[in-house]
Amino acid sequence: MVEGTLPGGMPPADRDLGGYGGNPPDPAWPRGARLALSIVVNVEEGAELSIASGDERNESGPETGQLVQGVPDPCMETHFAYGSRVGLWRVMDVLDRYGVKATFSCCARAVAVTPALAAAPAARGHEVSAHGWRWEMHANMPEATERAVIARTVATLAEHAGTRPVGWHTKSAPSVNTRRLLLEDGGFLYDSDAYDDDLPRLVPGAAGRPHVILPYAFDTNDMRFRPGQGFVFAEDFSRYCIASFDRLMAEGGRMMSVGLHLRTIGRPGRIAGLEQLLDHVARAGDAVWIARRRDIAQHWLKRFGQPAPRARYPAPHPAAMDGI
């Protein structure tokens, strides 16, 4: 065995790397469906960081790939504005044509500036969930600020959607306090700040009610149309999502998330990718349950009710540690 001090430490004890292991639970999706499919439309237009909006800097990952520092960036702002001016309506019309109800994950500042971003989806039967106040990660956010952000987000979305959001998703990294603050709020059924499974799970929540974690996905996501991310043509998006869909359907008992952005999939050269995916999904009939995230969370809570125990694995044989 190699002598010396090992670098670093060990993952924290509460980090579950085992998950359900080889024995995932049977979700018993409605109508005997083999797969629950969640379409998430991210609404961020007007919530991007912008000096012109009084923010400390401009969005660090603009559509153009060119970061403007220290002064307003009107070019970046118009790229985002395409989503609220045009993409919203194009995406909703496609969803309507296929009879699909989605979850619109909304940044509240975007909705405060353009109320239709929440009001119009809500009027068509889509879920309006929370995506923060500004479009920003929470990793370094002070706890008091984050608590205020959550409260303001809830109030703004409730005002314009007609009902308070019950789901939350942070842009990129949440803080170490995010989930605890969501539980303290008391009105959230689920959050999507996880990317580690093809099934939901339960964790202890507020007032004895479990809280549902609905994993999200960055691969079956139109964010990959950004330069260097792999998608160029509409068919790139649909082919990848269809491949994922077919695999999960074959396995059965799974959940799939598809992420969309108004300013991205809403472009005329890309919207066909969504149509091609929905054409393929429609052919599966009742074998797929297309549902809003709140409906999936409610189903999971009703079916299981208590947090599933963590998978137990035997400790590695000492010989397996040799040479580390």
Side-chain angles (χ1 to χ4, degrees):
M1 184 159 182
V2 177
E3 298 294 333
T5 302
L6 297 175
M10 294 294 288
D14 61 353
R15 184 181 176 195
D16 184 0
L17 290 165
Y20 294 121
N23 299 291
D26 177 7
W29 300 127
R31 305 187 306 275
R34 294 183 60 79
L35 176 68
L37 176 61
S38 166
I39 306 292
V40 178
V41 183
N42 294 279
V43 178
E44 299 152 354
E45 291 71 15
E48 75 279 3
L49 297 183
S50 170
I51 288 176
S53 296
D55 299 324
E56 62 275 17
R57 59 178 174 83
N58 291 322
E59 167 55 38
S60 59
E63 306 293 304
T64 60
Q66 181 176 351
L67 176 60
V68 175
Q69 296 178 308
V71 295
D73 184 357
C75 179
M76 178 270 293
E77 292 178 343
T78 60
H79 279 282
F80 275 84
Y82 188 89
S84 53
R85 294 168 64 94
V86 181
L88 170 68
W89 312 102
R90 184 172 285 140
V91 169
M92 287 198 304
D93 287 348
V94 168
L95 295 175
D96 281 353
R97 193 158 73 247
Y98 287 90
V100 168
K101 300 304 179 190
T103 292
F104 280 66
S105 184
C106 297
C107 291
R109 188 171 81 175
V111 171
V113 174
T114 311
L117 288 170
R124 299 195 192 195
H126 301 293
E127 175 189 6
V128 172
S129 67
H131 197 24
W133 173 251
R134 301 190 302 185
W135 189 50
E136 62 180 335
M137 71 177 185
H138 284 204
N140 297 311
M141 188 176 289
E143 181 174 338
T145 301
E146 188 171 19
R147 183 178 282 108
V149 161
I150 292 171
R152 181 69 178 276
T153 298
V154 168
T156 301
L157 297 184
E159 176 184 359
H160 297 295
T163 184
R164 71 149 286 155
V166 297
W168 177 277
H169 180 216
T170 311
K171 178 199 175 183
S172 187
S175 79
V176 296
N177 301 311
T178 302
R179 185 165 290 142
R180 174 174 59 82
L181 294 176
L182 296 177
L183 297 179
E184 286 181 9
D185 171 87
F188 285 100
L189 173 65
Y190 72 89
D191 75 72
S192 298
D193 286 343
Y195 306 84
D196 55 4
D197 214 315
D198 296 319
L199 281 175
R201 62 182 179 274
L202 300 179
V203 295
R209 186 193 72 182
H211 179 78
V212 186
I213 299 176
L214 292 184
Y216 190 52
F218 277 177
D219 62 326
T220 48
N221 195 306
D222 70 357
M223 65 187 285
R224 296 184 61 203
F225 278 114
R226 291 180 62 177
Q229 292 293 312
F231 291 168
V232 177
F233 300 105
E235 291 76 16
D236 297 332
F237 171 81
S238 59
R239 284 180 61 193
Y240 188 92
C241 290
I242 287 170
S244 299
F245 176 84
D246 287 349
R247 177 60 185 237
L248 294 174
M249 282 286 287
E251 292 180 1
R254 302 291 189 180
M255 171 186 165
M256 176 177 173
S257 297
V258 174
L260 307 174
H261 297 76
L262 299 177
R263 64 188 180 279
T264 305
I265 202 69
R267 288 281 178 175
R270 296 168 177 164
I271 193 69
L274 177 58
E275 294 170 326
Q276 291 158 6
L277 171 62
L278 295 180
D279 275 335
H280 185 83
V281 168
R283 290 194 284 273
D286 286 345
V288 58
W289 179 41
I290 308 175
R292 304 173 303 177
R293 289 178 93 74
R294 67 180 299 158
D295 300 324
I296 296 173
Q298 287 169 343
H299 173 87
W300 200 264
L301 190 60
K302 181 178 179 180
R303 175 150 176 78
F304 295 104
Q306 295 296 326
R310 290 178 56 174
R312 300 296 180 186
Y313 296 92
H317 190 278
M321 303 297 288
D322 288 349
I324 296 180

